[in-house]
Amino acid sequence: MKTHRHMFEEIIKDDNLELAIKEACRSRKKSHKKKTRLERLKTDPDRIKKVKDWILNYIPMRRRPHEIYDGIARKKRQIYVPSVRETVVQHAVIQVLNRHLMNGVYEHTYAAIKGRGQHKAKQYVEKYIRKYPKDVKYYLKMGIKQYFPSVPQDGLIAKLEREVKDTRTVDLVRMILYASEDGIPLGYYISQWFANYYLRDMDHRIKDMVGKNLYIRWMDDMVIFAGNKRELHRYKDTIADMLADLGLLLKENWRIERFDHRKGGCFLDFMGFRFYRNRTTLRRTIYYRMTKKARRIAKKEKPTIFEMKQFLSYLGWIKHSDTYGAYLEYVKPCVSIQYIKRRISRHDRNTRKTGENNSRADPAAA
């Protein structure tokens, strides 16, 4: 096992801190108040000194989670919202840890990894289904029960200590994780990275076990294709034992199904898509939310920019699935895509101009 030293010095380098500020400002999901503070930090002449002080004198804080409803996954989630200070510090830490510790990640681990998004995973599953039909007679789909809050912090830190021989870096990570009483605080930038890191070694063990069969993981959801059921039952029992060794539990709703809807089997519902032998469609809840949003926009004289941006985000699902015919019939008659794009473009252009004028008028930003 390769060990890494002197990582803390890399974290507090000026170049790394400058990049951390830029990346934090580029984050998409931010409140207006947080976005304004990040923009002010970006133009602050003492920003590097300020962020370095945040890291050297990091103060761990317990956070109270906020409950949200994830419409795509159809479940409630407990989300932790970091402050501006915590966000920038996490970016600085991950930019260094990511370079050193994620080189050995399993090739078919997707989600929260640069260049391995949802659509790339979907493309590979489609390719495998069509290229190896004899090895795709059955599939095992399973998940980890309450993955983020269930990860034992002591086990995660112990795993990190075996590879990172730098006490200050490990202590900083420990203080960041202190935001939640146990597990990984879902909603933190650092969380998605550690979620993949904790399962990294298990992924390779599973791949060695399944051999030529496809094993693919999307965060805490896993799918294995095989030619017979007996193999899949054996895989399921072994993976349950692997998870138990990590202090985790397999969800009770695991399923082994025949992958062929024409012969008494069924489709694979994975990552929001429905995979068939010859096509890929959307999960019904996603398509329902999209059509509902289109009808709601059609009823309003002047829909808000937020609603129109929400609707445009659904078009990516249509583009990467075989549902264009249904889109033409049920969605397109309700809305004008060109009108929505023009309004969003005009709004963003005016927002940029306003921001530029404010920064010129603000002597602290100059």
Side-chain angles (χ1 to χ4, degrees):
M1 180 189 296
K2 185 177 180 180
T3 57
H4 305 277
R5 305 173 187 274
H6 311 296
M7 299 181 76
F8 194 79
E9 287 80 358
E10 291 185 55
I11 292 173
I12 60 175
K13 280 183 179 177
D14 291 356
D15 292 345
N16 186 59
L17 299 182
E18 188 70 58
L19 182 59
I21 295 169
K22 288 181 181 178
E23 291 297 319
C25 290
R26 286 175 56 188
S27 301
R28 293 181 180 179
K29 296 181 179 179
K30 299 188 295 285
S31 65
H32 179 71
K33 189 175 181 180
K34 186 175 180 180
K35 187 175 180 179
T36 304
R37 288 178 177 175
L38 281 168
E39 290 297 332
R40 286 178 183 171
L41 177 65
K42 190 176 179 181
T43 56
D44 189 340
D46 297 324
R47 57 188 177 277
I48 301 299
K49 183 180 177 181
K50 190 176 290 186
V51 175
K52 190 177 291 186
D53 182 63
W54 291 348
I55 295 174
L56 293 173
N57 302 293
Y58 191 84
I59 302 173
M61 294 181 63
R62 290 279 191 211
R63 292 284 180 186
R64 180 177 294 180
H66 300 272
E67 187 174 88
I68 65 166
Y69 180 74
D70 186 345
I72 293 177
R74 295 169 291 179
K75 62 174 74 170
K76 292 181 179 178
R77 298 188 186 275
Q78 300 290 327
I79 300 293
Y80 293 82
V81 181
S83 64
V84 169
R85 179 179 305 193
E86 290 170 320
T87 301
V88 176
V89 171
Q90 288 173 40
H91 275 275
V93 172
I94 289 303
Q95 281 162 189
V96 174
L97 288 178
N98 188 50
R99 291 200 303 267
H100 291 287
L101 299 180
M102 291 304 283
N103 291 332
V105 70
Y106 171 57
E107 61 179 329
H108 295 307
T109 297
Y110 297 90
I113 299 176
K114 189 175 182 180
R116 300 196 198 178
Q118 196 169 24
H119 299 311
K120 185 169 183 179
K122 173 247 180 191
Q123 288 171 359
Y124 188 81
V125 172
E126 288 177 329
K127 181 180 176 181
Y128 187 86
I129 288 171
R130 282 144 202 178
K131 190 174 181 180
Y132 305 104
K134 292 183 180 179
D135 296 326
V136 190
K137 290 184 179 179
Y138 299 92
Y139 70 83
L140 164 63
K141 185 188 174 187
M142 54 195 165
I144 303 173
K145 188 173 183 179
Q146 294 290 314
Y147 178 45
F148 280 83
S150 298
V151 173
Q153 289 184 1
D154 293 340
L156 177 58
I157 293 297
K159 179 179 172 65
L160 191 64
E161 284 177 326
R162 287 194 294 271
E163 299 182 43
V164 178
K165 301 301 181 181
D166 188 331
T167 306
R168 290 187 294 177
T169 300
V170 175
D171 288 343
L172 180 58
V173 171
R174 185 184 286 110
M175 288 189 289
I176 293 172
L177 294 176
Y178 183 80
S180 61
E181 292 185 9
D182 199 11
I184 304 174
L186 181 62
Y188 273 33
Y189 176 71
I190 204 170
S191 302
Q192 54 191 0
W193 183 87
F194 274 118
N196 281 321
Y197 170 70
Y198 193 61
L199 298 177
R200 186 190 64 184
D201 297 337
M202 188 191 78
D203 286 336
H204 288 288
R205 291 169 61 194
I206 294 174
K207 178 55 186 173
D208 292 340
M209 175 181 67
V210 303
K212 66 175 183 177
N213 294 322
L214 173 64
Y215 161 63
I216 184 170
R217 179 170 66 81
W218 174 262
M219 198 52 75
D220 59 343
D221 289 327
M222 297 169 277
V223 169
I224 301 176
F225 289 108
N228 64 71
K229 282 187 176 182
R230 238 179 284 174
E231 273 186 302
L232 293 177
H233 279 287
R234 180 166 55 85
Y235 295 157
K236 188 268 297 181
D237 294 337
T238 306
I239 291 171
D241 293 337
M242 291 181 186
L243 290 173
D245 293 338
L246 294 173
L248 303 170
L249 290 174
L250 193 69
K251 279 184 184 176
E252 299 86 356
N253 63 348
W254 61 269
R255 54 188 298 183
I256 294 176
E257 297 285 353
R258 184 182 181 90
F259 183 70
D260 197 339
H261 63 286
R262 293 167 298 182
K263 298 180 180 178
C266 67
F267 54 82
L268 169 64
D269 188 331
F270 186 49
M271 302 183 300
F273 294 102
R274 285 182 166 186
F275 294 93
Y276 297 86
R277 291 276 182 190
N278 58 352
R279 68 188 190 281
T280 304
T281 62
L282 296 180
R283 186 181 289 163
R284 283 186 179 179
T285 52
I286 296 174
Y287 195 78
Y288 172 73
R289 288 166 68 87
M290 179 175 59
T291 54
K292 185 178 179 182
K293 179 67 66 177
R295 290 195 299 269
R296 187 177 298 170
I297 289 175
K299 289 179 181 177
K300 292 188 175 182
E301 275 188 43
K302 196 173 181 181
T304 64
I305 295 295
F306 178 73
E307 285 177 318
M308 290 188 288
K309 286 186 175 182
Q310 273 188 322
F311 175 75
L312 277 188
S313 68
Y314 283 111
L315 295 184
W317 290 95
I318 296 294
K319 182 180 177 182
H320 292 89
S321 63
D322 301 316
T323 51
Y324 189 67
Y327 162 76
L328 291 176
E329 185 174 354
Y330 297 107
V331 178
K332 194 172 182 181
C334 299
V335 293
S336 169
I337 305 299
Q338 290 183 341
Y339 168 75
I340 289 177
K341 287 183 176 179
R342 279 199 304 269
R343 275 204 57 192
I344 292 175
S345 178
R346 193 184 309 127
H347 173 268
D348 291 345
R349 190 164 54 248
N350 292 336
T351 303
R352 283 195 297 270
K353 286 181 180 178
T354 305
E356 289 173 4
N357 293 336
N358 289 340
S359 64
R360 291 193 189 110
D362 186 3

